[in-house]
Amino acid sequence: FLKILLNTSLIFFSLLLILNLFDEISFFKEMDVNFLFPLLMAFLKTPLVLYKIFPFIFLISSILLFLKIIERDEIITIKVSGISNYKIILLPTIISFVLGIMLVSIFNPVTSLFTYKYYEIKNHFSNKNDFLAAITENGIWIKDIHLNNTNLIKADSLINNELIDVSIYVFNKNNENVSRFEAKRANIKNKSWQLSEVRIFDDYNNANIKSNFENSYLFETNINVESIQNLFSKLETVSFWKLNKIKSNYEDIGYSTDQIDLEFHKGISYPFFIMTMTFLASVIMLHTKYKVNTLYHVIFGLFISVVIFYLNDLSKVLGQTEKISLIQSVWIPIIIVFILSIVGSMHINDK
């Protein structure tokens, strides 16, 4: 089983790498980069995609395992030795669960690191991302490049469309601090920020720094609340083991932790998802009475994968529209597939 799983994973990794390579070549075609650079970017991107489709790789690998056993008539030998169909299913299912735990514990941090480096490098070449943002124990930090100036922004919290207790340091192209803004709040619904109760410090090159107070001030940036939320929602760059720390930081600034909780339950449910896919494939294959060619079973496995993918997608939509909770949207597809597998295995020893 492990050998089949490894070979199947390598095949999918190669296919994904090639597809991502074409995508990166298209992105960098008009840029002056080394010809191996798109390959590096594709290599950084591929592990995350592989991690997401691993449950379906386990499904196909399990189908291929039982197909091999059936084709060699080994199933009869196994039964003669006194091993029931339940025990035949149990071994690959347990192995899948253990491997699922290892994937979350070891492979997930690697994919998160690679994905972080991918976005970090990609941002340098993208015109759409002239800013960086992070949430720490000290609040929200944003670096924004606008009109040859670099704005370093700190805020204590984000409430709806407003940053609270905002400090903005403006640096020119020579990296000299030319001005500073201290505001009670900043409405960042649009890229033109509306600062309220703001004190402006100008003429930093002068020994006597002057300041003046304004009730309202318009500050131009590349950022609005939507762009910040989109950046913070890229939780695939965060390792499963760091989610609790990130959640604590989000809570400190009053930012919603719903997506953090969602990612946490995705990580917890991941081994169960993989185990369930192996269980489902095993039950289906033990119900197969006739030898059919390998291609048919692979296509059948892909069909099941597509059906489960759309089931996951439907559950996700229901969660986003608040028909069910986000946490329920993670577990419901797994529970449904597991129940179907249990029902299918009820008379499996009669096969």
Side-chain angles (χ1 to χ4, degrees), residues 41-42 49 67 71 90-91 134 152 154 198 233 247 257 269:
M41 296 300 290
V49 185
L67 179 64
E71 284 181 343
L90 188 62
L91 183 58
L152 186 61
K154 179 193 174 297
V198 54
S233 66
K247 181 178 179 178
T257 60
S269 67

Side-chain angles (χ1 to χ4, degrees), residues 10 25-26 39 41 89 113 121 137-138 174 182 191 201 233 248 254 259 300 350:
L10 289 174
I25 289 174
S26 176
L39 179 60
M41 296 300 290
I89 292 173
L113 177 62
I121 296 171
E137 296 89 341
N138 299 318
N174 296 320
E182 298 286 344
K191 292 184 179 180
F201 298 83
S233 66
S248 177
Q259 290 300 318
F300 181 64
D350 299 333

Side-chain angles (χ1 to χ4, degrees), residues 39-50:
L39 179 60
L40 170 64
M41 296 300 290
F43 184 78
L44 290 174
K45 184 180 180 181
T46 300
L48 175 64
V49 185
L50 188 69

